[in-house]
Amino acid sequence: MDGIERIGVSVYTVPTDAPEADGTIAWDHTTLVLAQAVSGRRAGLGWTYGAPATAAVIRDELAPLLTGRDPHDTAGAQEAMSRAVRNTGRPGLVAGAISAVDLALWDLRGHLLGLPLARLLGGAARPVRIYGSGGFTTYSAAQQERQLRGWTDGQGIPRVKIKIGESWGTRERRDLDRVRAARRTVGDRVELYTDANGGYRLKQAVRIGHALAGEGVTWFEEPVSSDDLTGLRAVRDAVTPDVTAGEYGYDLPYFARMVPTVDCLQADATRCGGLTAWLRAAALAEAHGLDISAHCAPHLHAHAAAAVPNCRHLEWFHDHVRIERLLFDGTLDPAGGTVTPGADGAPGHGLRLAPARADEYRTA
């Protein structure tokens, strides 16, 4: 059996299609750091969304460590990478680098075995529920309505999410006006979610949560900072919508601390350590009677979501959907509110880099 011959890395930066912001940050571009794992005539792709400096961690610290290893030993590679960065510091950017490589190794395994990841992970080509995610605080009323109608009327997606907590929670009235407008746009049969990105204070979040319940909102993401576990639990116990968080989890102990504070655990395979760590987070949630929801990067999570019985849904995030369609071939169709990874039998996660389109955005 051929070992891992090399780990390649490249960087792509894509401007947003309009100014974007959530409750606590604004941005006008998104960077994708792509890892490629090569063994013999097969290659696997994985990526993370983050700083371009992530590429240096992959190239200088992780790639030399993995050369020659068994490409099927994803658990061993994960452990080796985590140990090697002890003094570098694992959370944040370094965790993103580990995640991209781990995801590339899983895709490589699928190519070596000729199997879609859903099957390799013990699942099948079954439908996975998705929700439309965007609704940025920078959007005008017309932009928000157009996006929501595109999901619900255009694609038949029955679950949608908008951002609130604008300007660190200082624009409550506009937040609630936008929620009411979203409800009018989508009607009563569509599930309406909100994400404050940690923009509110505790009692403020409780007040907002009661108002959201009045509009039939069932998902209140990061009402306070995800670092404030006591606050998350207090909000969860006080409001009707499900309180959720976890997208900034970089290791399993983080998720263990968060499980008692939320109604649904979120995890992001591009941050927490790839599919190896995401699957462990899903098992941890299941052991505590909780669902898990896959945060962003939809095409990297879809196959794992199809293999995990407690996965509630997958975030069909506007920026990442747009970028993944732009840079790759083989993307999924969300019509009707589900995607079915592995239905075409393509190995791995099924995406292939499209150089003719991607090269325009390559920066390293």
Side-chain angles (χ1 to χ4, degrees), residues 131 161 195 219 221-222 244-249 254-255 258 262 264-268 278 281 291-295 315:
Y131 67 89
K161 185 176 82 178
D195 182 358
W219 176 274
E221 186 174 332
E222 282 195 312
T244 71
E247 66 187 72
Y248 295 109
Y254 174 97
F255 295 117
M258 179 161 281
V262 295
C264 180
L265 184 67
Q266 292 178 283
D268 187 330
W278 193 92
D291 286 342
I292 192 167
S293 179
H295 174 264
E315 183 172 13

Side-chain angles (χ1 to χ4, degrees), residues 151-164:
W151 289 325
T152 58
D153 299 344
Q155 296 179 304
I157 299 173
R159 294 164 290 274
V160 298
K161 185 176 82 178
I162 68 168
K163 301 287 192 181
I164 58 173

Side-chain angles (χ1 to χ4, degrees), residues 111-279:
H111 282 272
L112 291 171
L113 297 172
L115 290 174
L117 276 179
R119 289 190 60 196
L120 181 59
L121 295 170
R126 60 171 60 94
V128 174
R129 297 195 304 170
I130 59 104
Y131 67 89
S133 172
F136 303 108
T137 59
T138 43
Y139 278 4
S140 67
Q143 285 175 301
Q144 176 176 293
E145 180 175 1
R146 184 163 57 250
Q147 186 179 67
L148 291 172
R149 290 197 183 279
W151 289 325
T152 58
D153 299 344
Q155 296 179 304
I157 299 173
R159 294 164 290 274
V160 298
K161 185 176 82 178
I162 68 168
K163 301 287 192 181
I164 58 173
E166 184 176 354
S167 300
W168 289 93
T170 60
R171 303 198 66 186
E172 284 187 34
R173 179 172 295 182
R174 184 169 189 264
D175 288 340
L176 294 177
D177 285 345
R178 291 178 55 247
V179 171
R180 295 184 189 106
R183 176 54 74 196
R184 289 193 298 271
T185 297
V186 303
D188 294 334
R189 295 187 178 183
V190 171
E191 294 180 47
L192 180 58
Y193 301 167
T194 58
D195 182 358
N197 286 101
Y200 295 129
R201 301 178 305 280
L202 195 159
K203 287 193 175 181
Q204 182 186 26
V206 173
R207 293 196 303 272
I208 294 291
H210 291 316
L212 296 177
E215 295 299 323
V217 172
T218 56
W219 176 274
F220 192 7
E221 186 174 332
E222 282 195 312
V224 296
S225 170
S226 57
D227 294 326
D228 181 8
L229 299 183
T230 301
L232 277 175
R233 186 165 191 164
V235 178
R236 184 202 65 182
D237 291 345
V239 303
T240 302
D242 280 356
V243 168
T244 71
E247 66 187 72
Y248 295 109
Y250 295 113
D251 54 36
L252 202 59
Y254 174 97
F255 295 117
R257 294 190 297 271
M258 179 161 281
V259 158
T261 73
V262 295
D263 295 299
C264 180
L265 184 67
Q266 292 178 283
D268 187 330
T270 73
R271 292 175 177 167
C272 71
L275 288 187
T276 300
W278 193 92
L279 292 167

